[in-house]
Amino acid sequence: MSANNPNLQSDGLAQLARDEREIRLCLRERALHAVSNGIVIARCGVPECPIEYVNPAFERLTGLRAEGVVGHDALSLAAGALDDAAHAALADAIRARRAHTAVLARQDSDGQRRHVELGITPVDNELGEITHFIGVLTDVTQAYQRTRYLEHELTHDPLTGLANRKLLWERLEQALVVAQRNKSLVVVVLADLHGFKHINESWGHEAGDAVLKAVAGRLAEAARAADTVARLSADEFVLVLADQPSLRYAMRMIDRVHARLAQPVPYERASLPVAASVGVAVYPHDGGNAFDLVRCADIAMYHAKAAGGAKASFFSPDMKSTTESRHRLEAEMREALLHDEFFLVYQPRLSLRSGRVAGVEALLRWRHPQHGVLLPPSFLPEAEENGMAVPIGRWVFDEVCALMARLRDAGHGKLPVAMNASYRQFSEPNFVARVGEQLQRLGLAPDTLALELTEEALLRNRELSRELARQARALGLRLSIDHFGDGLTSLGELPSLAAANLTMTPGVVRDIVPDRAAAALTRALIDIAHNLDMTVVAASVETQGQTEFLRQHGCDEIQGHFYSGPLTAEALGALLEAEPH
């Protein structure tokens, strides 16, 4: 009977086993079709390692059709998707029958660049022989893009998209290696924008950002693919011209760049003026490493700025000594603050009506350990440039407050004391507010302090000057315009400033007696100031003739050696005590 036939039972069990195997194979094949990873199976043991199977995800990730790759060498997958070194490494792994990972870069059907990680693993048979490779493909495009984005953020300026300091040094070092090998030149161009702070203060930071982006775009357009454009600091840019065949070739590019930087930047309905001082250093003539080249370009840039600005200057060795001298002067000024080398003297102002002292001006001096007593023109312009004008100005204000307290305690509390404020100093945020806070803390009347600002400084930024005047009036401070007459373009600004005093420039006062034109100008300045309710002060009055002319034409006060030179605080106190009460 069939139920008791052992052969029939054996055949049934074998068929059942085959059916189960087919079910498992079908299940595995469906799984291979369903997974999101690409799968590729290739056979080993022959020279070409032909592909035997790919799943649908493989087609989706690579853009290749199964009928176009099955039967072809597995290495053909990497054609155009790997660079030479990565392709060779993959071929070596296949020949050695070992696992390997590579990232393929291809364009998909939409033209988007896709990055796919391929991991291959050797597979052996029952005898332990490696007969196949299984490759698993994973889409890593998003991870790759995130990595590239983070790398870009770490090496590029977020506002302009240019290289930052870190990438600049890397690219410059690479350029030097290439130049050394090719016996070529590397040119470092450092550009510093003029008036950028003024644009920020007058037009706002959005306008400043627009200027920086425009400058960055112009530099990037001028550069070649091998060059590097970087933003070094707020308004400093560096252009690295790599592998230059000759200096003549580089100079033509520098001239074009400099001309482009001088073009105004359109902003809203205005054109913002832009200019730059440019310093140039050349490898190997000016330095053998990245740091030296950038430093030399920086020195050349400051030389261009000192020569009048908006120029291009090539580095030369003699510039280095000039720059070192400036750095030494800055260091000496810092030491002077620490060791009390600065001191003040006080020059009284005489009222031509009452014959009494009408006010005092504080004048800065520097008792230099090597050069003796220095007057402000020998060091303050450099202090204004390097920023030391701010801490020096704060020290002066502290000393002036101490004098004002002494005058108050001696019964002269209503005598106004004037101190000079440099452009760098009064451009500091909350300058007037800090002055007011200190006066209030010390119990000093605001109207006994006069801030003297030169006409030149006021004209540098009219909007800032008007705001300064508004804040000074609100606080009750006196505002005094010093050296008026150096630039009569500011006549229209006088009403908005509403200054208490106007001090005529010494050049006008010096020539009033022999020069009829100077005399007419002096009379006009006195009339203008009086019409604006301003007290007129004539500085540097040296003679009786000057004094009489000024008295006859309504000048209010004089200051100069004809009446008194600068005095110590003690001598000033004695002078005030000697006045008739």
Side-chain angles (χ1 to χ4, degrees):
M1 302 217 9
S2 60
N4 298 319
N5 189 327
N7 292 329
L8 289 176
Q9 282 186 334
S10 176
D11 290 343
L13 291 172
Q15 182 62 43
L16 183 61
R18 283 194 297 273
D19 290 346
E20 289 179 353
R21 282 197 299 271
E22 287 180 9
I23 291 171
R24 285 196 298 270
L25 287 172
C26 287
L27 181 61
R28 290 170 183 170
E29 188 170 353
R30 286 199 301 272
L32 290 175
H33 275 64
V35 294
S36 60
N37 292 98
I39 303 295
V40 55
I41 301 174
R43 179 163 47 88
C44 298
V46 294
E48 290 193 339
C49 197
I51 295 172
E52 293 185 347
Y53 169 84
V54 297
N55 71 345
F58 170 92
E59 295 179 316
R60 187 177 67 254
L61 291 175
T62 64
L64 303 173
R65 307 299 298 172
E67 55 269 22
V69 297
V70 172
H72 292 274
D73 184 14
L75 276 173
S76 65
L77 296 178
L82 293 175
D83 60 31
D84 292 343
H87 191 277
L90 179 60
D92 289 342
I94 290 175
R95 282 193 295 269
R97 308 288 198 271
R98 54 182 168 79
H100 187 72
T101 301
V103 176
L104 311 179
R106 291 186 181 279
Q107 280 191 337
D108 60 21
S109 58
D110 295 330
Q112 298 296 317
R113 194 162 183 80
R114 185 184 294 276
H115 292 84
V116 178
E117 183 181 83
L118 168 64
I120 62 170
T121 304
V123 179
D124 54 10
N125 59 14
E126 297 84 350
L127 301 176
E129 298 170 338
I130 294 176
T131 59
H132 290 78
F133 274 103
I134 293 182
V136 179
L137 292 94
T138 306
D139 190 347
V140 293
T141 303
Q142 289 187 350
Y144 184 84
Q145 289 173 344
R146 282 197 300 270
T147 301
R148 291 296 300 272
Y149 172 77
L150 291 174
E151 289 176 349
H152 186 275
E153 289 294 295
L154 289 172
T155 57
H156 288 77
D157 173 55
L159 175 66
T160 63
L162 299 180
N164 62 13
R165 281 175 173 269
K166 180 179 183 297
L167 188 57
L168 168 66
W169 295 118
E170 292 176 3
R171 294 273 183 84
L172 183 49
E173 292 288 0
Q174 293 169 5
L176 295 178
V177 171
V178 172
Q180 191 174 23
R181 183 173 63 242
N182 296 345
K183 306 299 183 190
S184 58
L185 305 176
V186 175
V187 179
V188 176
V189 183
L190 194 150
D192 179 81
L193 301 184
H194 287 188
F196 180 70
K197 185 176 181 182
H198 170 66
I199 291 173
N200 267 339
E201 292 169 345
S202 301
W203 291 85
H205 288 284
E206 289 184 0
D209 289 349
V211 168
L212 293 175
K213 290 176 182 177
V215 169
R218 293 171 184 179
L219 290 173
E221 289 171 4
R224 307 163 303 162
D227 300 330
T228 298
V229 185
R231 184 182 176 199
L232 193 62
S233 63
D235 56 354
E236 282 189 337
F237 297 84
V238 173
L239 176 60
V240 177
L241 306 178
D243 203 22
Q244 295 289 298
S246 68
L247 194 55
R248 184 189 299 262
Y249 181 87
M251 287 176 67
R252 287 198 295 269
M253 182 178 288
I254 292 166
D255 289 340
R256 287 197 300 271
V257 168
H258 196 233
R260 290 293 307 278
L261 292 180
Q263 297 174 6
V265 173
Y267 180 72
E268 294 181 347
R269 296 185 179 181
S271 291
L272 302 180
V274 179
S277 294
V278 173
V280 184
V282 182
Y283 168 86
H285 311 302
D286 301 327
N289 58 60
F291 177 80
D292 286 346
L293 286 170
V294 173
R295 184 181 62 170
C296 289
D298 186 58
I299 290 172
M301 182 274 294
Y302 275 105
H303 183 81
K305 184 181 287 188
K311 301 179 184 298
S313 179
F314 280 75
F315 175 79
S316 63
D318 60 309
M319 293 179 186
K320 190 174 181 181
S321 60
T322 303
T323 303
E324 288 173 349
S325 175
R326 294 175 62 187
H327 288 321
R328 187 165 53 250
L329 179 58
E330 180 180 347
E332 289 175 346
M333 283 190 269
R334 295 184 189 279
E335 288 293 312
L337 279 174
L338 289 174
H339 298 116
D340 296 325
E341 294 172 10
F342 290 116
F343 66 98
L344 296 183
V345 290
Y346 306 93
Q347 189 163 26
R349 287 173 174 165
L350 178 70
S351 169
L352 290 177
R353 290 187 178 86
S354 67
R356 298 172 63 87
V357 174
V360 178
E361 181 180 8
L363 301 173
L364 179 63
R365 300 290 185 264
W366 180 3
R367 191 176 288 105
H368 195 283
Q370 282 83 41
H371 306 300
V373 175
L374 301 179
L375 300 181
S378 65
F379 61 89
L380 274 188
E382 185 62 32
E384 181 79 350
E385 186 67 32
N386 62 32
M388 284 300 297
V390 173
I392 292 174
R394 289 173 183 164
W395 178 88
V396 169
F397 180 47
D398 289 342
E399 292 294 304
V400 166
C401 286
L403 175 76
M404 292 170 66
R406 289 176 62 180
L407 292 175
R408 178 196 60 197
D409 296 343
H412 306 292
K414 294 185 177 181
L415 189 69
V417 179
M419 59 167 278
N420 291 283
S422 71
Y423 177 80
R424 179 75 75 108
Q425 189 178 1
F426 71 71
S427 298
E428 287 281 291
N430 303 316
F431 168 71
V432 173
R434 287 201 304 271
V435 168
E437 288 170 3
Q438 184 159 336
L439 292 176
Q440 184 178 26
R441 187 171 62 251
L442 297 174
L444 300 172
D447 63 355
T448 58
L449 176 68
L451 295 177
E452 289 205 332
L453 314 171
T454 66
E455 181 186 14
E456 179 188 6
L458 289 168
L459 289 174
R460 285 180 64 177
N461 188 335
R462 287 176 167 85
E463 288 299 322
L464 177 63
S465 300
R466 294 189 192 106
E467 178 60 21
L468 176 75
R470 186 194 65 77
Q471 293 179 12
R473 285 196 302 272
L475 191 64
L477 295 174
R478 292 170 177 261
L479 198 64
S480 178
I481 302 175
D482 201 11
H483 282 69
F484 193 83
D486 284 339
L488 294 181
T489 52
S490 61
L491 281 173
E493 298 294 315
L494 283 177
S496 63
L497 294 174
N501 291 354
L502 184 148
T503 303
M504 291 185 290
T505 182
V508 172
V509 175
R510 182 180 59 247
D511 297 333
I512 54 177
V513 174
D515 190 329
R516 295 179 62 185
L521 176 60
T522 301
R523 288 195 299 269
L525 290 177
I526 293 171
D527 289 342
I528 291 170
H530 283 164
N531 287 333
L532 294 172
D533 295 324
M534 299 170 71
T535 298
V536 183
V537 180
S540 300
V541 177
E542 306 292 338
T543 67
Q544 180 70 39
Q546 293 168 345
T547 302
E548 289 305 317
F549 177 92
L550 293 166
R551 192 195 311 275
Q552 291 170 13
H553 292 92
C555 181
D556 300 295
E557 300 172 9
I558 62 170
Q559 178 181 348
H561 285 277
F562 176 75
Y563 172 62
S564 172
L567 305 172
T568 64
E570 292 74 14
L572 174 66
L575 175 68
L576 294 174
E577 289 299 321
E579 283 192 323
H581 295 286

